[in-house]
Amino acid sequence: MAHLFNRNVVLGVSGGIAAYKSAELVRQLKERGADVRVVMTRGAQEFITPLTLQALSGHPVHTELLDTEAELGMGHIELARWADLLIIAPATADLIARLASGRADDLLTTVALATAAPKLVAPAMNQQMWRDPATSANIDTLQDRGMSLVGPASGEQACGDVGPGRMEQPVNIALAAAGLFANGALAGRRVVITAGPTREALDPVRYLSNHSSGKMGYALAAAAVDAGAQVTLISGPVQLATPEHAERVDVVSAAQMLDACLERVKECDLFIACAAVADYRPATVAAGKIKKDAEHLTLELERTTDILATVSGHAQAPFTVGFAAETHDLEQYARGKLERKKLDMIVANDVSDTAIGFNSDQNAVTVFWQQGSCALAQASKSTIARELIALIAQRMEAPDG
Ligand code: C5P
């Protein structure tokens, strides 16, 4: 079954008779693994109650743009950022016209403008309205802007007319949605991804660590699964759900992460080091809890092994991709690491910008390889992950490596 595992889907429902089919669409999307949030226009609520879609999606339905309560929860910008995909089904002639003219006069059109996620539109209207040149021009505009269309189907309409304009069946909309993500860019490839922080014990109760959330590595694992890869995620301690269909190996320290990676290096085609591995660990781990008797405490630290450099230096090294978090001179430092660690690619991000990186849901990166580079503009980590996986797959196939 075409799946939507690990996908956040915002379903926009506008006011047409086909809105009753949106209930079945929510079910279809959830059955395929998507997490679904519903946005309804006022018109849609005349045809189907928010309660129905709330019960089916398992989340409150979003209806108002200017609702203080709602904005305190998941506001319109959060919703727009959260989405991996926006489906509008049914999309009435009026909604399509408002999308085409870039209006933001209700919650649904605002989310549509504010999201960088792909958009799938399922038109539903009377056959004459569908055939009208104004609607055709609006549809052309949406497609020119990169939105995908599913349907409409032809047949008998609620108004008694016969012709094109019926909303496509929910099962076909769900299939089209899954089709937008599925790609075979890494089909048959075995991918190992490190993610999250490591913890280096000082004594039985304390450790040294960092703020890495693991979100980028987990998003990469989900994107690699979608690209058809067999994925192993070697993860430090994080508060994240394992992406569906990825194998997860939990580790705590840099030494454990190194062992877990080396065990798999020979059976791996692509290694992506996304973890924020501790560079130093306490030279000795105290057997008992260190007491706070002394006014000053000096810790002796020793270097941990560079996992990425070890993997890239292996006799049967896979295609290796590293990350470089920098605060300045991004390209210079990133290219330095590319050379020094003998990597195929390096993904650099500017951690001086608090809107992106570490704990944020957003990221913006520049990828460097020997002969080139590519900047990926700010977007959700899952969008960046998909773009990165596509770029890596392309470079793996490139004749010059
Ligand atoms: O040298 P630096 O720590 O900035 O390099 C970052 C890259 O190296 C990241 O890809 C990180 O996952 C990896 N790394 C590693 N093992 C270490 C330190 C960093 O794999 N001990």
Side-chain angles (χ1 to χ4, degrees):
M1 185 168 81
H3 72 81
L4 284 163
F5 290 125
N6 313 314
R7 295 294 169 205
N8 295 337
V9 176
V10 171
L11 172 62
V13 182
S14 63
I17 182 64
Y20 79 92
K21 292 191 198 166
S22 305
E24 170 61 13
L25 179 55
V26 172
R27 215 184 55 76
Q28 288 277 343
L29 294 169
K30 289 203 49 137
E31 207 172 275
R32 285 175 162 73
D35 191 355
V36 182
R37 307 289 159 109
V38 179
V39 173
M40 295 177 82
T41 64
R42 257 190 215 144
Q45 295 167 62
E46 302 288 336
F47 291 92
I48 180 170
T49 69
L51 195 60
T52 305
L53 298 183
Q54 173 175 314
L56 288 167
S57 67
H59 296 285
V61 167
H62 304 259
T63 54
E64 300 298 326
L65 178 58
L66 303 172
D67 176 342
T68 349
E69 287 274 305
E71 291 290 308
L72 279 177
M74 201 189 252
H76 65 281
I77 296 296
E78 278 84 9
L79 206 52
R81 284 184 179 154
W82 175 84
D84 295 320
L85 171 66
L86 171 64
I87 302 177
I88 303 181
T92 60
D94 176 63
L95 199 277
I96 288 168
R98 286 192 289 132
L99 286 177
S101 57
R103 298 291 297 264
D105 49 3
D106 66 3
L107 180 60
L108 180 51
T109 48
T110 304
V111 169
L113 266 190
T115 188
K119 297 167 196 81
L120 179 64
V121 177
M125 67 197 74
N126 164 270
Q127 54 86 23
Q128 195 54 49
M129 293 169 82
W130 173 252
R131 288 190 170 112
D132 192 281
T135 304
S136 301
N138 288 334
I139 289 286
D140 287 348
T141 303
L142 299 191
Q143 288 186 302
D144 287 349
R145 290 190 195 137
M147 295 191 201
S148 303
L149 209 66
V150 52
S154 273
E156 199 168 319
Q157 301 202 293
C159 54
D161 281 7
V162 176
R166 281 165 56 143
M167 187 172 93
E168 188 51 88
Q169 290 304 322
V171 61
N172 292 335
I173 299 174
L175 281 173
L180 289 181
F181 294 110
N183 68 77
L186 289 177
R189 303 278 201 178
R190 294 157 306 175
V191 180
V192 173
I193 299 172
T194 66
T198 64
R199 287 180 184 168
E200 310 303 326
L202 277 166
D203 66 19
V205 293
R206 303 185 181 93
Y207 55 81
L208 299 176
S209 191
N210 58 64
H211 289 298
S212 170
S213 63
K215 287 176 186 167
M216 193 64 231
Y218 276 58
L220 279 166
V225 166
D226 272 336
Q230 184 188 316
V231 179
T232 304
L233 184 57
I234 299 178
S235 175
V238 295
Q239 303 293 323
L240 296 172
T242 311
E244 296 277 353
H245 293 304
E247 179 203 6
R248 171 165 161 183
V249 178
D250 283 316
V251 296
V252 176
S253 66
Q256 289 171 353
M257 189 173 273
L258 175 68
D259 289 346
C261 291
L262 288 180
E263 255 175 51
R264 289 161 182 84
V265 69
K266 280 194 244 160
E267 288 88 42
C268 162
D269 304 302
L270 166 62
F271 180 77
I272 307 177
C274 198
V277 186
D279 293 315
Y280 292 91
R281 67 172 154 244
T284 53
V285 182
K289 186 178 170 193
I290 300 170
K291 292 289 170 202
K292 56 175 180 226
D293 304 332
E295 203 54 44
H296 297 281
L297 176 69
T298 305
L299 293 174
E300 193 190 339
L301 303 178
E302 62 184 19
R303 282 289 293 268
T304 55
T305 306
D306 191 311
I307 302 171
L308 177 55
T310 309
V311 169
S312 71
H314 195 276
Q316 287 158 279
F319 190 93
T320 47
V321 181
F323 273 71
E326 306 294 347
T327 51
H328 59 283
D329 297 322
L330 203 71
E331 173 156 8
Q332 190 192 335
Y333 284 118
R335 284 205 178 277
K337 275 176 204 172
L338 184 76
E339 285 299 317
R340 211 170 43 252
K341 301 198 189 197
K342 297 189 174 53
L343 308 179
D344 294 293
M345 294 174 92
I346 190 145
V347 183
N349 63 340
D350 181 352
V351 286
S352 66
D353 184 345
T354 50
I356 56 175
F358 262 38
N359 247 318
S360 160
D361 288 323
Q362 297 270 302
N363 207 350
V365 300
T366 308
V367 191
F368 299 96
W369 58 95
Q370 202 71 50
Q371 303 83 357
S373 66
C374 177
L376 304 180
Q378 182 170 340
S380 71
K381 283 186 173 170
S382 71
T383 300
I384 293 281
R386 273 201 303 280
E387 293 172 347
L388 270 177
I389 289 294
L391 187 59
I392 292 169
Q394 211 180 64
R395 298 306 312 159
M396 285 175 82
E397 297 292 335
D400 57 5

